[in-house]
Each structure stands twice: as structure tokens, then as C-alpha cells.
Amino acid sequence: MRTRRSLVVSAAATALLGTVVVTAPAAHAAPVLPGEFVLLDTPTGQQAGELTDAAYLPDGSVLSTGRLGTVHLTPQGGQPTQIASLPVFTSGSLGLTGIAVAPDFTTSRTVYTTRALSTGTSTQVFRLSKWQADGTGAPTGLVKEAPLLEFPVNADNKGIQDVVVEPSGDTLWVAVGDNSVVRPTDGATKDNVDKFALRALDPAEPTGKVLRIDTSGQGLSTNPYYEAGSSGSWRSRNYVSGLRDPRIALDPRGGVIVTDTGWGARHEVNLAFAGQNLKWPCWEGTTRAPGYRDLPECANVANAGPLAESVHGTADTLVGGVAYTGTSYPATYRGIHFVANKGAHSLSTLAFDSNGRATQQITALATDIGDPVAVLTAPNGDIVVADAASAKMRRLSYKPANKAPVAAFTATVAPATKTISFDASGSHDPDLESLGYQWAFGDGATGSGRTTEHTYSATEPVTVTLTVSDPHGAVANYSQTFLPGEAGPTVSLTAPGDATVFSAGESVHLAASANDGTDGPLTVAWRADRLHCPRSSTCEVSSLRTGTGPTFSFLFPSETDTQVVVTATAVNGRNVAAGQRYVVNPRTARFSIAGSRPARIKIGAHEDTNRLVTVGAAVQVSAPTTSLDRANFTKWADNQSTDPTRQIVMPASGLALRADYQTPIQKRYADEAPLRTLVGTPVGLELIEGDGHWQLYTSGRLYWTEQHGVRAVAGEILTKYVTLGAHSFLGSPKSDELVARAGNGRYNDFVGGPTTGAGSIYWTSSIGAMAIHGDIRAKWQATNGEAGPLGFPTTDQLTTPDGIGRVNHFYNNNASIYWTAATGAHYVMGSIWQKWRSLGWEVFFGYPTTDEVATPDNVGRYTHFSGNGSIYWSASTGAFEVHGSIRDRFAATGWQTGVGYPITDETWTPGSRGKYNHFRQGGFEHSIYWRSGTSVAWEVKGMIRLRWRDLGWETSYLGFPTSGEYNIPTGKRSDFQFGYITYNGSTGAIEDRRY
């Protein structure tokens, strides 16, 4: 759910080191887990089903939140107690949803919460609050609330639910759901979905966002939509838009991970970049959201594929995850991102490289782990899920990596009462886990607890043994001899002057004296142990130096995450020992390192980009050659070095480094002076949308895609591009502005948007800039484009009046290309185009189903149309249409080979009793007639037609034709309603008769 990095300082693990005895780990029942992993449970005290979030405190204890408003504290190894009950509004899934702890909690005592609450009898709001933890050690309450963000509740789900604090402590990241009403996906239409979700797309609204603010709630000047003079606006606070139900994780190696629970199809995981819009509710993952996809607001919304996605079931809820940066898991898990799914009761993994590319999609690792609502990192780096079902913190631990604990204690003898007080605070676990304590007092009695006391009945020597055990069952023992009736030796240790912290390589000097009431002065034995506890890893103990005498000195280790535990001991003649322990802490300074673009930059071996480092320690810094958003490393800002790896000796004043990255867009802009002149100066930030990146300039835009590189759009082509919706409509440019092959024109090609297919914008001085795309563009290009018979487009792609088709008109030959889903794209031009226009375009007999095609005799040309119509043209006849039954007969006779080319459109006969077309074939004219009430038309040809004409056509006594011309023994015959006409081939005689 967040970075949730352990804030546990290694002081909690320092100890007087004793004899270690390791036993086999205890058996532990587990759900379905990978081999040799177990789940170790810690109670939170929350009600089952109500746990919503948790955060570690510096001492290893845990703060947890319950939806009903309770905040509980679970000390390390202890039992939970309630420290606060906050007022909340609990309709639906709302309530107290998130908690985060400031990195400097030890001194600032700052805690952040997210919740819904009522501010009046009928007013509910979402609120991010800053609190002070009451008390001086363990928190006893939350006081001094300071609201940082607040906005109205719209629905009872998907509100403000996650807050993360950067390691520097000065920046907060806040995840806000779209807060729309959840409705079934089945039957979803544009008319029944909750349009409130569309606010997720708007940078000026708080819902459906990742917000980035300072600790007073104001937007940061480095945010993509920051408004100078209005830092409290939602635009100024906005970092990422277009989310439905998000959770955040700050990868300690660099980068922000956003998991988002989908609605109808997909969960997704994204790398979050400034200004990014992840396109909910129009898209979820790589699928278009039901109902919303049909809204006009989603018509031209171009989607960028997520880093990873998974198909979800009806009960799924993706609840975030964290990067694993520990060392106890097998090497294959290191650097992997862990994601939890509440509805699926699972924990999954995914991986991506320094280029921001997924190298492993979401893969289930553990199942039946309860109902996870948050994912955290334990102090030793283990992954922890907050399980709402059991209200427990469930830590995923790898058993073979478990280290045995270290047992140690000190004691104070009260001789008068023969009572000895024992304190095992010096015991610790290298894995930073809680311990169990068992005591054997040497007289047959036993006890438990980290501190205890025991009263003896005799004064004889006793050997007291402490046994500590970790959650895996590994144990360690430490024994010491005492005389209950005798005070024993004393050791007085003098701290090293005024110094309380030390730099790497600095000398540490201590002094001590020891005395015994019987033996007098005793020799002091010294031991310095190096306790190295890397963040998110287990501790290592090694001997640094030993010695004897009244003084002791050593050089502080030259490494980070290390303390030195110095022990001065003395033993009297009765083998009773005494000792004093002193922890030497490092002098630290903050070392922060960032990229000018988000990048996985390593500090040392553990990849933390913002941390405290021991002053004087040598640290290796490594910047990846490519940032997460595909920019290339160029140099270090402070020394201009182009080597991405460097060694740093940490100064006492602290150090902030910046690795400079240059995006492909920035590089081309810097390298090409003519390009800078063309597009002007940068405006705002380089943004990531659709299939790549883009940067706005005062006079143009530059786009980068992996496939096509950096391309420029400017001038009138840019104006047209932006008017149409820019990359959300036509996609990113595939080319710079190029010179067309005719007419001194210019053009850019584009990859295509969600509804367009590949596209282009062409410009000429006489026409201006026009867009052409999809199947119409493909057809146009097949005609040789602007250099072909159609020439340049004179319109953008238009929707036909009936809403069915699309059309572009062109400059040459009165040409157009029309498209419908049923007919495809075909061009109409010249005289045929003019005839079609005069008939009312597609209104008359539909859309072209062919291009303009040459007739087989190469004399004429024709175009067929979807409404059973055709237009034929020849040089001698012109262009005329034929349709319906007459066209059917025209086709049956062999088109123009049967009766020639039409010399009329289809025409009504007098009295509107029928229709006809006249045709010409060589020196003869023919006709095809259709009579109302019939479904067949018939041709009348040649000499027979001339006789029929002379008789008065269909108004003659013969009426309409009822057959075509057919052969008889003496020649040809055509039948009519009331008679027939014959033609004698031998004599040339024409005769008409009644039946």
C-alpha cells in the first residue's frame, strides 16, 4: 500500500552479547505459501473485518487503524492497546482508512491519517489530518489535529484512503478514489453509469487522483499543474489523474507505484509520472470500460498500457504493494514488487527494470492469506500484510534465513533482602523480531518477561540463565553467577567526554574502574562489538576490538547503519561478574539523491535514495543509464561527471545530489537549433500520455515514441492537430513535417488514435490543413495520395448526414472517398461524382461499393453503390445513373456490352406508371423499362424499339414490355402486355400484332 519502510533504528537491537544456542524452528501452520516461507502473526487489537491500515514506529511497534475510527498501538512483542478513537463517517466502506508516520517521529511525534467524517448534521467530508502523538515514549493518544486536505463525500466508497510520507519527511503523497457510485457492469450503458467518475480525468478535481503536497497541505511547485499564487488549488496539488481506486507505494530505489482496482475487467499497476492521466473511467487497463466508453467524454481518450494488469473476479480488490528491498528472501525475490489482493486473498509479485518495463507480470505467490488491506515492509525488510479477516499483521518470513537471537542481561543485587532485579533489554534479535524471555534463577524457580526480579532464601552462589526465543522457535542462552547476599563487584564507566556521536574513523575513548567489597580494585576487561543493522535487512554482529585496563579506545567503523556496543566487565574472586554497557552511535547526516527524471538510483548496496549516512563513511552511488521514463543519464549536476557511478565521502553538512537525465525530446531540442526556432521555448513539463511523451512549446510540440523517435508538429498542421484533439485523436506523430510530392504541400503522419487508425494532416497554402485517416487514408494512398488523381484533401474526415458513413473530399477531379463499415472505403470522382452529387449523394442509393472502375471495353467508367445503383460514364454519353430493377436487367444483359451506356437517368414514364433508362450502343439506342407493380424490368432494343417508339412507347396499344428481346426462327421478338413486335432478319420487316 505504500513504501512503509521500517523506521526502526538499530539502537533497539543493541545488546550485551552472550552465548548462543540455536534450536530448530518451531512448526508453524501456514496457508498456501512458497516452499520454506511462513506467516508470523502479530495482533493489532482491531475488530475482525475492520482493520484498514498500519504503520511501523521507529521502535518497531505498530500503529493500526480500524474503519470505525480506532487507532491501536502494538508494542514489539507486546499486546495491543487502543490509543485513540477518531470521529468518522462509516457508511459503506468509508471510515478511518489510512495512517502514516513521519520519518522523524522520534522528535516530531507526527502522525497522518485519512478518513471520512461528518462536519455537520448532513455534511460529510474526506480529510487528511496531521496529528501529534501524545506521551514521551510510546504514543498514548493523538492530539492537536491539523486538517491538511478536505473535500465533500459524494458516495460511500473509493474516497481518500492512502497517505505516504517521503523519507525526507517534507512531501506527502495521497491516493484518492473516484468516489463515484458503484453499479453493476452487466447492462452498463452511457445512460446509467455514474458520470461523477469523469471527474477523475479533470486535474482541477480531487477525486481519482494521486496528490502530492507539502506537510501543510499545499501543492508543490514541481507538480505538473502547479499554479503560482494558488498553491492550495487541486491543480497545484495534482500529480496523476484518471484513477478509480488507487493505492501508492514509494519504491525506495526511486519511482512511485500506483495500483488501481478496476471495475469491469482489469486491475492495473502503473509507474506514476508527473502529469500522467491513466484514463479511468474511459479505460481500465487495456480495455475500454463498459458504459463509460460510449460517453462523448471518452470518445477520443487515448490510453497508455499499464506497467502490469490482471483480470479480476467479482470480489477482487487490489490493495497496493511494496518493493522488496531486504536480503533474507532468496535472491529471485530481491527487487520484486509485492501486490496484495483482498478479494482473491492473495499476495502476488511483479517486476520491472530500470527502463520501466515489466519483466514479470502479476504472478500469484501466496494464497488463502486472509483479507489483506495493506502491504508493509517489516523492520528487517520482510513483506507484511495487514489482514482484516483476522485483524493481524501477517509477516511473510523465509525460515532458512532466520538468525538466532542474542541473549544478554544485567542485574542489580539487594543483599539485605537477597533480591536480584534482572533486565534483559540488552537481548536482541538480528531479524528485528519480537522475543520471548524465560528465566531459570538457579534455585529451581523460573520466571518470564524482559524484566523481572527474584528473592532468594539462601546466600549460596547461583547461576542464573536467560533463554530468549524468536517467533521461529530459535533460542539463545546467557548465564551469569550471583551471590544473593552479597553486592558483588561494581563497574563505573566514564563516557567519552562531551561527544555523543562519532564520525567514521574518529577515535572513541572510554574509561572505567571496577571494585569489589572483598577483593578491592579489579581489572576491567573491554569488548567492542560492531552491530551493523542495514535498513530493511537483518543485523550482523562482529567483534571490533578487545582490551584490558582502565582505558579503552577504538576507531569508529567507516560504514553506515552501524553502532558499536562497548562492554566493560570485571569478575571478583568468587566468579561473580559485573558490567556496564555503552552504545556508541554514529554521527549522521542526510544523504539524498534524485534524478531529474524518476530513476532507480542506488546508495550503497541497499538502494535507498534518501537516508541518513554516517559522516565520513565512503558510499558508492550508482545512477542507472536509463530512467524509469526512458530518459538517458547525462551527468551529475554538482561535478558534471558523466560517469554514472561515483564514490562519496559523507560530509557533516549533509549532501543532496542530482543525477541529470535527458529525455530524447530534450536531447533533440538541445542538439538542433533550427528545431528550437521552429517550436519556440518549452511550456510546462514533458508529459507522458498515449503511446509516448510530449512537450509543449510556444510554437509547436515535440513527441517521442519508442517506435518513431522524436517528431515535431508545428504551424497550421499543429493548429489542426490540436483542434481535432491532438494525440488523443490522431495519436503521436510518426514523422516531422515533410514536403509533399505535389503542389508545394506539407504533411505529418500520425500513428492513429483509438477511433481513427493511422492518419495524416496535409497542408497547402490554397487549402489549409486537413486531416485524413483510417481506411479512407489507406484508399487515398493506394491512389498515390496527393500525387495521384485525387490530389490533396480539401476537408477533414466528415461524418455523413445520416451518421453512418465518413467522407473526405479532394482537390482534383471533383473527388471524394466515402467509407462505411459495411462497404469499406471507395472513391468517386469526375463526372460520376458530379452526377452522384446532383442526385443527393448517399441519400439516393447509398454508398459506393467500388472505386471508379474502367469498363471491360475501356470506353467508359462506372461506380456501383450499396443501394442497388450504379453510375456509368463514357465520353460520348456522359454520366447517368441506373438503379433498382432496371439496373438488375442492365446487369443481366451484360452491362454496357448488352445495351450500351445509359444516356438518361432512370425516368418516370408519363402518368408515373413505370420507369425507364435509355442506352446507346454504337449507332443504336436501346431502353430498359419497368412497370409499376412488377419486380422485373425488360430491355427493348434496336429496330423493335424504333417501332415501339413510333407507336407511342408504353402508351401504345402494346403497353409495357413483358420480355426481353429473344430469338425466333425468322429473327427477333419482344413481348408486350397486349401484343408483340417481331423483326425478320432476312427481310428487315418489322411487324407489331395483338395477341
Side-chain angles (χ1 to χ4, degrees):
M1 189 170 184
R2 59 192 68 211
T3 305
R4 318 266 186 169
R5 301 185 54 101
S6 164
L7 300 176
V8 178
V9 295
S10 53
T14 58
L16 184 66
L17 306 181
T19 304
V20 176
V21 177
V22 180
T23 62
H28 193 292
V32 182
L33 303 174
E36 300 193 90
F37 278 90
V38 296
L39 287 177
L40 303 177
D41 292 342
T42 299
T44 65
Q46 300 292 346
Q47 296 182 34
E50 300 299 334
L51 176 65
T52 56
D53 201 4
Y56 281 100
L57 290 171
D59 63 357
S61 59
V62 175
L63 289 177
S64 64
T65 55
R67 188 180 68 88
L68 301 180
T70 56
V71 181
H72 285 206
L73 172 71
T74 304
Q76 191 173 37
Q79 292 302 307
T81 58
Q82 181 174 312
I83 66 167
S85 180
L86 307 182
V88 290
F89 175 67
T90 57
S91 177
S93 62
L94 304 184
L96 178 57
T97 53
I99 191 166
V101 175
D104 63 348
F105 176 85
T106 302
T107 55
S108 73
R109 309 285 291 176
T110 299
V111 175
Y112 300 93
T113 62
T114 58
R115 74 193 201 274
L117 72 157
S118 296
T119 58
T121 56
S122 60
T123 304
Q124 289 78 41
V125 297
F126 293 113
R127 180 183 291 176
L128 168 68
S129 295
K130 181 178 181 179
W131 304 84
Q132 293 294 301
D134 213 2
T136 57
T140 58
L142 297 179
V143 296
K144 299 180 181 178
E145 179 183 12
L148 303 183
L149 299 177
E150 191 169 286
F151 53 94
V153 170
N154 173 70
D156 62 3
N157 62 89
K158 297 183 275 104
I160 187 169
Q161 53 207 9
D162 203 5
V163 56
V164 180
V165 191
E166 282 195 358
S168 63
D170 57 9
T171 299
L172 307 180
W173 297 76
V174 186
V176 184
D178 72 356
N179 200 221
S180 66
V181 176
V182 177
R183 292 171 179 164
T185 56
D186 292 343
T189 71
K190 64 183 178 64
D191 298 316
N192 62 24
V193 293
D194 185 2
K195 295 179 178 60
F196 190 89
L198 292 167
R199 297 190 180 198
L201 299 170
D202 185 354
E205 296 287 347
T207 51
K209 305 294 188 299
V210 171
L211 307 174
R212 181 171 173 261
I213 59 175
D214 64 20
T215 55
S216 67
Q218 300 300 296
L220 300 174
S221 61
T222 51
N223 283 348
Y225 301 106
Y226 183 78
E227 298 173 320
S230 185
S231 61
S233 71
W234 293 116
R235 287 183 64 87
S236 290
R237 293 160 167 163
N238 183 27
Y239 192 80
V240 174
S241 305
L243 296 162
R244 180 178 183 268
D245 192 11
R247 304 294 191 278
I248 319 165
L250 303 184
D251 192 321
R253 302 158 296 184
V256 180
I257 309 297
V258 178
T259 53
D260 198 16
T261 300
W263 175 47
R266 298 285 192 273
H267 296 314
E268 59 183 279
V269 183
N270 287 278
L271 284 165
F273 301 116
Q276 197 173 21
N277 191 319
L278 298 174
K279 300 306 190 300
W280 169 261
C282 303
W283 294 79
E284 51 178 356
T286 54
T287 66
R288 297 180 72 90
Y292 290 106
R293 64 193 173 205
D294 300 318
L295 290 171
E297 293 88 345
C298 292
N300 293 317
V301 174
N303 185 47
L307 174 68
E309 66 178 346
S310 65
V311 178
H312 71 76
T314 57
D316 282 16
T317 309
L318 205 64
V319 294
V322 293
Y324 178 69
T325 57
T327 58
S328 61
Y329 292 1
T332 53
Y333 294 100
R334 294 175 191 172
I336 295 291
H337 199 80
F338 282 74
V339 177
N341 188 317
K342 180 181 179 183
H345 317 294
S346 66
L347 187 66
S348 298
T349 58
L350 67 91
F352 56 94
D353 59 22
S354 60
N355 293 322
R357 299 174 185 270
T359 56
Q360 176 200 306
Q361 289 295 315
I362 298 174
T363 304
L365 176 75
T367 56
D368 297 326
I369 61 171
D371 295 341
V373 292
V375 190
L376 301 83
T377 300
N380 71 340
D382 284 355
I383 301 299
V384 180
V385 294
D387 172 26
S390 65
K392 293 179 179 179
M393 307 292 291
R394 314 200 75 182
R395 182 165 64 84
L396 185 66
S397 179
Y398 185 61
K399 293 189 293 184
N402 184 60
K403 295 181 179 180
V406 175
F409 67 86
T410 58
T412 302
V413 180
T417 60
K418 299 191 286 295
T419 299
I420 305 178
S421 299
F422 301 98
D423 185 350
S425 298
S427 300
H428 77 279
D429 184 72
D431 301 303
L432 304 178
E433 297 172 349
S434 60
L435 294 175
Y437 303 88
Q438 294 294 322
W439 299 87
F441 295 123
D443 62 352
T446 59
S448 62
R450 188 172 61 183
T451 60
T452 188
E453 65 177 29
H454 182 64
T455 300
Y456 291 85
S457 60
T459 59
E460 288 78 12
V462 293
T463 299
V464 178
T465 300
L466 168 67
T467 300
V468 295
S469 59
D470 70 11
H472 286 286
V475 301
N477 300 323
Y478 177 69
S479 300
Q480 192 171 330
T481 300
F482 297 93
L483 288 169
E486 183 179 304
T490 60
V491 176
S492 177
L493 188 149
T494 303
D498 295 332
T500 57
V501 291
F502 296 85
S503 302
E506 186 175 353
S507 293
V508 182
H509 301 280
L510 298 100
S513 61
N515 191 67
D516 183 76
T518 301
D519 297 348
L522 301 175
T523 300
V524 176
W526 297 88
R527 176 178 174 179
D529 288 304
R530 165 187 165 274
L531 183 62
H532 183 52
C533 295
R535 294 177 62 179
S536 297
S537 186
T538 59
C539 298
E540 298 175 355
V541 178
S542 60
S543 177
L544 183 65
R545 190 171 183 273
T546 60
T548 59
T551 61
F552 182 66
S553 62
F554 60 90
L555 299 179
F556 196 83
S558 296
E559 61 190 7
T560 294
D561 303 316
T562 294
Q563 297 168 302
V564 178
V565 181
V566 179
T567 308
T569 58
V571 182
N572 67 15
R574 291 157 313 282
N575 202 36
V576 177
Q580 289 290 327
R581 187 168 63 101
Y582 184 81
V583 178
V584 184
N585 289 306
R587 177 180 290 108
T588 60
R590 183 159 294 280
F591 187 10
S592 63
I593 182 169
S596 59
R597 309 292 296 190
R600 279 185 168 179
I601 301 174
K602 297 181 183 179
I603 298 178
H606 294 284
E607 303 186 315
D608 298 59
T609 58
N610 193 319
R611 61 178 309 180
L612 295 174
V613 173
T614 300
V615 173
V619 182
Q620 179 171 292
V621 177
S622 178
T625 56
T626 307
S627 69
L628 292 170
D629 60 355
R630 316 289 177 82
N632 296 311
F633 174 81
T634 56
K635 66 182 186 308
W636 295 99
D638 60 313
N639 65 1
Q640 306 300 299
S641 171
T642 58
D643 187 345
T645 301
R646 61 190 293 189
Q647 291 288 128
I648 300 293
V649 176
M650 188 63 195
S653 59
L655 188 61
L657 296 182
R658 189 184 80 232
D660 281 344
Y661 284 82
Q662 190 177 52
T663 69
I665 288 176
Q666 291 169 331
K667 177 171 173 52
R668 186 176 177 197
Y669 183 78
D671 289 349
E672 299 180 22
L675 183 68
R676 295 195 295 274
T677 301
L678 175 68
V679 299
T681 57
V683 177
L685 299 178
E686 182 176 320
L687 300 177
I688 300 174
E689 267 194 317
D691 55 354
H693 300 207
W694 68 281
Q695 173 69 59
L696 175 65
Y697 298 85
T698 52
S699 303
R701 293 187 181 193
L702 293 182
Y703 281 81
W704 172 83
T705 61
E706 190 168 16
Q707 183 177 4
H708 300 290
V710 179
R711 300 300 177 190
V713 191
E716 291 191 41
I717 291 180
L718 174 64
T719 301
K720 173 64 70 172
Y721 182 53
V722 172
T723 300
L724 293 172
H727 51 277
S728 64
F729 183 70
L730 275 180
S732 301
K734 297 167 60 175
S735 70
D736 290 331
E737 186 175 295
L738 302 175
V739 176
R741 295 172 295 166
N744 297 315
R746 315 278 296 182
Y747 70 96
N748 281 82
D749 288 332
F750 300 88
V751 298
T755 61
T756 65
S760 300
I761 297 177
Y762 276 75
W763 171 89
T764 68
S765 58
S766 59
I767 299 172
M770 300 296 169
I772 181 169
H773 49 81
D775 289 346
I776 290 179
R777 175 178 177 269
K779 172 60 68 173
W780 180 59
Q781 290 182 326
T783 70
N784 205 25
E786 75 278 14
L790 280 66
F792 288 93
T794 57
T795 66
D796 300 324
Q797 186 178 111
L798 306 173
T799 300
T800 54
D802 60 8
I804 295 173
R806 303 289 188 271
V807 60
N808 277 84
H809 298 307
F810 296 88
Y811 188 75
N812 293 347
N813 298 316
N814 294 321
S816 301
I817 299 178
Y818 276 76
W819 170 92
T820 71
T823 60
H826 298 286
Y827 65 83
V828 188
M829 59 188 295
S831 297
I832 292 178
W833 180 92
Q834 289 178 315
K835 171 58 69 173
W836 191 44
R837 181 187 66 174
S838 71
L839 295 171
W841 306 106
E842 70 280 357
V843 175
F844 187 60
F845 48 55
Y847 292 87
T849 58
T850 69
D851 300 325
E852 182 177 297
V853 182
T855 54
D857 59 7
N858 287 318
V859 171
R861 303 183 73 82
Y862 67 90
T863 300
H864 293 323
F865 295 86
S866 60
N868 196 23
S870 299
I871 298 176
Y872 272 73
W873 169 91
S874 74
S876 62
T877 60
F880 293 96
E881 61 87 12
V882 187
H883 70 276
S885 296
I886 292 176
R887 178 181 180 273
D888 291 341
R889 189 61 186 174
F890 181 45
T893 65
W895 304 104
Q896 77 287 343
T897 62
V899 294
Y901 291 89
I903 56 175
T904 68
D905 297 328
E906 184 176 284
T907 306
W908 282 101
T909 62
S912 300
R913 296 173 55 225
K915 292 185 176 183
Y916 66 89
N917 279 83
H918 295 322
F919 298 85
R920 181 176 297 141
Q921 187 178 43
F924 292 93
E925 292 187 357
H926 311 293
S927 299
I928 299 178
Y929 271 73
W930 166 84
R931 178 168 55 90
S932 296
T934 66
S935 59
V936 180
W938 301 105
E939 78 277 7
V940 186
K941 301 177 64 176
M943 300 300 293
I944 292 177
R945 174 183 178 273
L946 289 175
R947 173 58 63 90
W948 187 51
R949 181 197 68 183
D950 293 342
L951 292 172
W953 305 104
E954 78 286 350
T955 63
S956 70
Y957 78 92
L958 292 173
F960 283 89
T962 58
S963 78
E965 183 177 278
Y966 59 92
N967 293 326
I968 59 175
T970 59
K972 303 286 186 179
R973 171 173 166 167
S974 287
D975 295 332
F976 297 85
Q977 284 177 286
F978 307 110
Y980 57 91
I981 299 175
T982 60
Y983 165 73
N984 190 309
S986 300
T987 65
I990 302 293
E991 296 183 11
D992 57 277
R993 290 189 174 88
R994 296 182 183 274
Y995 291 122

